[in-house]
Amino acid sequence: MKYTASHWGAYQITKTDTATQIDIKPLPDDPAPSRIGRGWISAARDRDSRILKPAIRKGWLEGDNGANRCRDSFVEVSWDEAIRHAASELQRVKRTYGNGSVFGGSYGWSSAGRFHHAQSQLRRFLNLAGGFVSSRNTYSHAAAEVIYPHILGLSNRAFQDDMTALPLVTEHCEILLAFGGISGRTAQIASSGTSAHAVPSWLDQLRAKNVRLINVSPQESDLDKSEWWAIRPGTDTALLLALMYEIVVAGRANEDFLKRYTSGWEVLRAYLMGESDGVAKSSDWAATLCDLAAPDIRALALQLVSRKSMIAMTWGMQRADHGEQPLWAGLALACLIGQIGQPGTGYAFGYGSSSPVGQPSRLISWPSMPQGKNPISDYIPVARIADMLLNPGGSYSYNGENRIYPTTRLIWWVGGNPFHHHQDLNRFENAWTRPETVIVNEHSWTATARRADIVLPATTPMERTDIMLSRRDPTLLYMSKLFDPMGEAKDDFEIFKLLSRALGFEQSFTEGLDQEAWLREIWQQSAVVAQQQGFELPSFESFVKEGRFDVPDASECRIALESFVSDPKANPLNTESGRITLFNETIAAMDLSDCPGHPTWLEPCESLLDAEPDQLHLISGQPDTRLHSQNDRGSESRADKINEREPAYLHPETAQRRGLCEGDIVKIANDRGACLAGLRLSKGIRKDCIALATGAWFDPQTINGLPLEVHGNPNVLTIDKGASGLSQGNIAHTALVRVEKWTAPLPDLTISKPPKIKTQPESA
């Protein structure tokens, strides 16, 4: 049997009914296959969007220094010429400005394969070339990545690894309070590949046991078939503080747990009671902010301490202004309840945000392509790239440091699309013109490729062989090639091998190994790891023939913080006190107005609390039909659109007040930008909100003299600002917009065809 794998699932390779074409079908033991996979082949084989030959931007060849980067045509060239230009440009920038002027951008999900991991390939190449400025953290959960080491003494990755297994939640939990819900949209995906989607079945088991499932979210669909608390967006911290207040007032706080396992409770308690600022954080106080009923808040507080309770936070909670605060407040609430470290209760982060979180599977650290050591120590928080480009030499705060933005002359981007992930894309597009050169390895004409100077066509995962080795998944797959590469596309390894040859370090980059030899090397190293884990892997030849290997006895149910709770003296946390910090002196000493030393209610920079009557809160969550912007050109995503525009969701009463009907094309706008979308109506969304998923390919145009994104990309509307001076994470979920019917002629999409390309090379 032949297989392949992706971030949204694993697949058997099959023939179609006519036996003339290759097709894929989900693994037979996957209980809930992803919808995303139904559009994968069509996206990978979409000839209109694939990059077929190396291309160089015309203006770059003419020496425009990036001025026309976002609105230019391309010249197709041979691979030899493309490699020559890319290698000589990297050499020029290094020689003139130093390696600290090179930014290595490989942020994105690229491939589930272990070898063809774009970030590893790029970093290995740039490290051998003298180094580069890198990025830290993720768009997914940067606020958590920075604050958890302070308050939990664990990295976000370590905490995710330690997460209480969902089967234990289904067995023991009586109240699951889910902030941001547990979404089936994001439960489809896993960053290193996944063989089974189990989150839906675990949720069904919870419902069957009549567990009280509470979805605290402006959208009902974030946790289907549950009790919906339609909170006002951005006010979750206020609700959490009020729940703590009511527990304290009722005399039900677990003082033994607080004394033994936490530090700083006295300071937080004084804030809750209003002793430090004159404002008691009562349910009456929170009800007005959250648009919830005070009696319901009081009743829930008492139930949480009376029953087996889990406080669960989704990743999206912290992608907002002051995003650290709800995470910290949720942890503090769990400490007051005092059930952390017990089976199925306590505190969790990320259930449903990614398929493996809470999966009861043994963790195995498999080998990967070695990246080497970066000689350049400089970095930026990943979501601050536009600030770096627009403000070279400027200062910013990050995790207790005062840092300086480098001056970037060259960007090399592989395996990702920042014109999907980043906020305020009109601002970002301006910033993108600042470097002297942008080089991109990419398989399709994404917005990033269209805004590059040198475009090197890469293969898709379906056009190469690889191995799925996920440390959180018990299934190992040999990823067979489905198709020959389209056009002249090459694997990233082959591209960097050619570049390394031109720069004089091919042997160091390849170590004398071709792709198959590297796969054998990775498998051989994996065999050593397997032996250490107590089982044997088959030979590489057998693995290739069978295509699949399942780790024996892979089930392992973990309980978050269990060892710490069982013996806090023998297993202290790596925090300033060795315990969970409810008041953190290190953070307090940073003197950040946007991230104080304990969980605090801070109003977002844009909020419905101060909105004008016609403004709505924008919810820009993950889509159901694709992963971020991947597969947007596929059949599943395109079939879900309305007149080729991404669908936006409004409450029927909200639409009626604005004279809008299902199927209308609407313009969504604020001071940062505007986009078009197709309208769908749903009673499962707050009346003061509008939902528009991320990932529609960025298609900005000028209509009647004004900028307009015509495809439905919400990131022309979102704010490019750090969550706080602590994490500098993105705040995609903090934005206000207005909506109106679009009555002018509907613009054609430019993303449906390649950029303007001249087929004959021009001299530089």
Side-chain angles (χ1 to χ4, degrees):
M1 180 64 69
K2 291 186 176 182
Y3 300 89
T4 190
S6 68
H7 303 301
W8 46 85
Y11 298 87
Q12 294 178 347
I13 300 174
T14 64
K15 296 285 188 180
T16 61
D17 292 339
T18 61
T20 59
Q21 292 181 317
I22 296 294
D23 200 359
I24 57 174
K25 63 179 182 180
L27 298 184
D29 48 340
D30 187 345
S34 166
R35 178 183 180 185
I36 298 171
R38 301 203 292 261
W40 189 16
I41 288 182
S42 55
R45 305 302 287 172
D46 179 38
R47 197 169 184 86
D48 290 335
S49 63
R50 286 296 298 271
I51 302 169
L52 302 177
K53 293 187 65 175
I56 300 181
R57 190 173 61 82
K58 182 175 180 293
W60 185 85
L61 288 169
E62 296 170 350
D64 72 356
N65 293 318
N68 295 313
R69 182 168 293 133
C70 298
R71 51 185 181 277
D72 206 354
S73 60
F74 288 85
V75 177
E76 286 185 339
V77 299
S78 67
W79 267 107
D80 286 345
E81 187 169 354
I83 293 297
R84 177 175 62 83
H85 277 293
S88 62
E89 183 61 6
L90 179 59
Q91 285 282 58
R92 182 192 69 82
V93 170
K94 287 172 49 183
R95 182 173 59 251
T96 307
Y97 306 109
N99 282 79
S101 65
V102 177
F103 182 75
S106 180
Y107 185 86
W109 285 52
S110 63
S111 169
R114 200 69 165 184
F115 175 67
H116 292 291
H117 180 239
Q119 189 176 91
S120 297
Q121 297 284 351
L122 175 67
R123 289 180 174 177
R124 180 179 177 86
F125 168 73
L126 289 180
N127 286 340
L128 289 168
F132 63 101
V133 175
S134 61
S135 61
R136 286 193 179 180
N137 309 135
T138 65
Y139 282 89
S140 295
H141 37 53
E145 291 172 75
V146 178
I147 198 168
Y148 277 152
H150 288 287
I151 65 176
L152 270 176
L154 295 170
S155 68
N156 178 63
R157 172 172 164 159
F159 186 46
Q160 301 267 329
D161 286 349
D162 194 43
M163 203 65 60
T164 298
L166 278 167
L168 294 177
V169 179
T170 62
E171 182 179 354
H172 297 281
C173 185
E174 296 174 332
I175 300 179
L176 177 58
L177 180 59
F179 283 82
I182 300 176
S183 173
R185 297 187 303 275
T186 51
Q188 298 180 88
I189 59 176
S191 63
S192 299
T194 185
S195 61
H197 299 84
V199 173
S201 63
W202 289 325
L203 289 176
D204 286 344
Q205 291 176 50
L206 284 165
R207 296 183 186 104
K209 293 183 63 176
N210 292 319
V211 173
R212 187 181 181 191
L213 298 178
I214 304 175
N215 172 28
V216 183
S217 170
Q219 280 190 289
E220 187 176 21
S221 63
D222 283 337
L223 182 53
D224 291 327
K225 302 175 185 176
S226 65
E227 183 180 335
W228 182 29
W229 284 36
I231 193 170
R232 181 178 283 126
T235 65
D236 303 85
T237 301
L239 173 58
L240 287 158
L241 294 170
L243 291 169
M244 286 187 273
Y245 173 93
E246 298 298 343
I247 290 171
V248 173
V249 168
R252 299 296 301 278
N254 192 322
E255 296 291 346
D256 290 339
F257 187 96
L258 291 167
K259 181 178 181 180
R260 189 176 187 195
Y261 300 107
T262 76
S263 63
W265 165 233
E266 297 80 5
V267 178
L268 178 57
R269 187 186 188 284
Y271 173 72
L272 293 173
M273 297 298 104
E275 297 166 6
S276 56
D277 65 353
V279 179
K281 310 309 178 296
S282 66
S283 55
D284 293 316
W285 166 81
T288 302
L289 296 171
C290 303
D291 193 23
L292 298 171
D296 291 343
I297 299 173
R298 281 192 289 270
L300 176 59
L302 296 182
Q303 282 200 2
L304 288 171
V305 294
S306 303
R307 300 170 66 182
K308 294 180 179 180
S309 304
M310 172 65 80
I311 310 301
M313 319 293 290
T314 191
W315 289 357
M317 288 297 309
Q318 48 83 69
R319 292 196 293 271
D321 201 19
H322 316 304
E324 301 87 354
Q325 301 309 311
L327 299 191
W328 202 353
L331 176 61
L333 172 60
C335 289
L336 264 70
I337 297 169
Q339 297 177 16
I340 292 174
Q342 300 177 23
T345 62
Y347 176 74
F349 178 58
Y351 287 153
S353 297
S354 181
S355 181
V357 179
Q359 180 171 292
S361 179
R362 192 196 318 187
L363 300 172
I364 302 176
S365 295
W366 299 109
S368 59
M369 182 72 165
Q371 300 176 10
K373 182 174 176 58
N374 189 353
I376 302 298
S377 60
D378 202 5
Y379 66 88
I380 62 166
V382 68
R384 301 275 58 80
I385 182 173
D387 289 352
M388 174 187 72
L389 298 176
L390 292 169
N391 190 28
S395 63
Y396 67 99
S397 64
Y398 171 72
N399 200 16
E401 297 182 2
N402 186 46
R403 299 186 55 82
I404 303 297
Y405 287 120
T407 300
T408 302
R409 308 288 182 173
L410 184 148
I411 293 176
W412 205 311
W413 208 282
V414 179
N417 181 12
F419 280 88
H420 156 71
H421 280 99
H422 204 67
Q423 278 61 62
D424 195 348
L425 289 181
N426 292 323
R427 178 177 186 261
F428 186 49
E429 192 171 52
N430 176 33
W432 198 251
T433 65
R434 303 303 174 90
E436 296 176 11
T437 301
V438 176
I439 304 174
V440 169
N441 299 22
E442 181 57 86
H443 58 67
S444 298
W445 283 111
T446 64
T448 305
R450 291 169 185 264
R451 288 157 179 78
D453 300 314
I454 301 174
V455 182
L456 306 175
T459 54
T460 70
M462 291 184 168
E463 297 164 341
R464 59 200 184 213
T465 57
D466 211 330
I467 304 173
M468 186 187 104
L469 286 169
S470 173
R471 62 191 296 271
R472 294 179 175 179
D473 194 285
T475 297
L476 284 55
L477 293 177
Y478 181 77
M479 298 166 58
S480 292
K481 184 171 73 171
L482 279 76
F483 314 108
D484 290 331
M486 189 175 286
E488 297 182 12
K490 295 181 183 294
D491 304 334
D492 288 321
F493 177 80
E494 294 297 323
I495 294 172
F496 288 126
K497 182 176 76 172
L498 293 174
L499 287 159
S500 299
R501 180 182 303 165
L503 293 168
F505 53 83
E506 179 183 1
Q507 177 62 31
S508 296
F509 179 76
T510 66
E511 297 185 21
L513 304 178
D514 61 13
Q515 293 185 53
E516 182 179 351
W518 268 111
L519 292 178
R520 287 178 176 273
E521 174 66 21
I522 290 172
W523 189 251
Q524 183 176 352
Q525 294 177 20
S526 299
V528 175
V529 173
Q531 287 181 336
Q532 295 169 347
Q533 294 285 326
F535 61 92
E536 299 287 332
L537 292 183
S539 68
F540 183 73
E541 289 76 14
S542 296
F543 178 57
V544 172
K545 182 179 179 180
E546 296 297 324
R548 173 173 178 170
F549 176 83
D550 293 296
V551 174
D553 302 319
S555 181
E556 182 177 288
C557 284
R558 290 174 291 279
I559 299 173
L561 302 174
E562 181 182 27
S563 60
F564 165 66
V565 171
S566 64
D567 192 338
K569 290 185 178 179
N571 304 291
L573 300 178
N574 190 27
T575 64
E576 60 188 22
S577 64
R579 293 171 282 172
I580 299 170
T581 61
L582 304 183
F583 171 76
N584 188 279
E585 296 179 359
T586 302
I587 295 176
M590 297 178 192
D591 196 26
L592 299 170
S593 60
D594 52 8
C595 189
H598 57 72
T600 305
W601 160 248
L602 300 167
E603 186 173 342
C605 60
E606 285 189 16
S607 169
L608 287 171
L609 295 167
D610 299 319
E612 296 178 11
D614 62 339
Q615 287 184 303
L616 302 170
H617 182 97
L618 174 66
I619 302 169
S620 55
Q622 294 305 307
D624 193 36
T625 59
R626 59 183 176 266
L627 169 58
H628 300 305
S629 63
Q630 287 189 55
N631 293 357
D632 190 40
R633 296 294 299 160
S635 58
E636 193 71 12
S637 180
R638 294 171 73 174
D640 193 55
K641 296 180 190 289
I642 299 171
N643 266 339
E644 298 185 293
R645 321 294 146 164
E646 189 69 16
Y649 292 81
L650 271 180
H651 193 281
E653 293 182 20
T654 307
Q656 184 179 34
R657 287 196 299 270
R658 288 163 169 78
L660 302 174
C661 299
E662 179 106 13
D664 283 347
I665 300 299
V666 296
K667 175 184 174 182
I668 309 170
N670 57 25
D671 291 342
R672 290 175 290 278
C675 69
L676 299 182
L679 186 61
R680 288 202 178 119
L681 304 182
S682 170
K683 293 183 179 180
I685 187 172
R686 280 182 57 102
K687 298 174 185 178
D688 51 7
C689 293
I690 184 170
L692 177 62
T694 64
W697 276 19
F698 182 49
D699 196 345
Q701 300 181 24
T702 300
I703 307 296
N704 298 325
L706 296 174
L708 180 69
E709 201 284 326
V710 302
H711 190 209
N713 190 311
N715 279 345
V716 298
L717 307 164
T718 51
I719 305 172
D720 188 10
K721 169 189 173 297
S724 76
L726 180 75
S727 72
Q728 295 292 352
N730 79 86
I731 62 168
H733 294 311
T734 299
L736 297 177
V737 299
R738 293 178 170 88
V739 61
E740 63 184 41
K741 186 173 182 177
W742 178 259
T743 57
L746 198 57
D748 292 333
L749 299 179
T750 65
I751 57 164
S752 61
K753 53 188 176 183
K756 293 180 181 179
I757 297 175
K758 294 186 177 182
T759 57
Q760 295 299 317
E762 297 182 1
S763 59

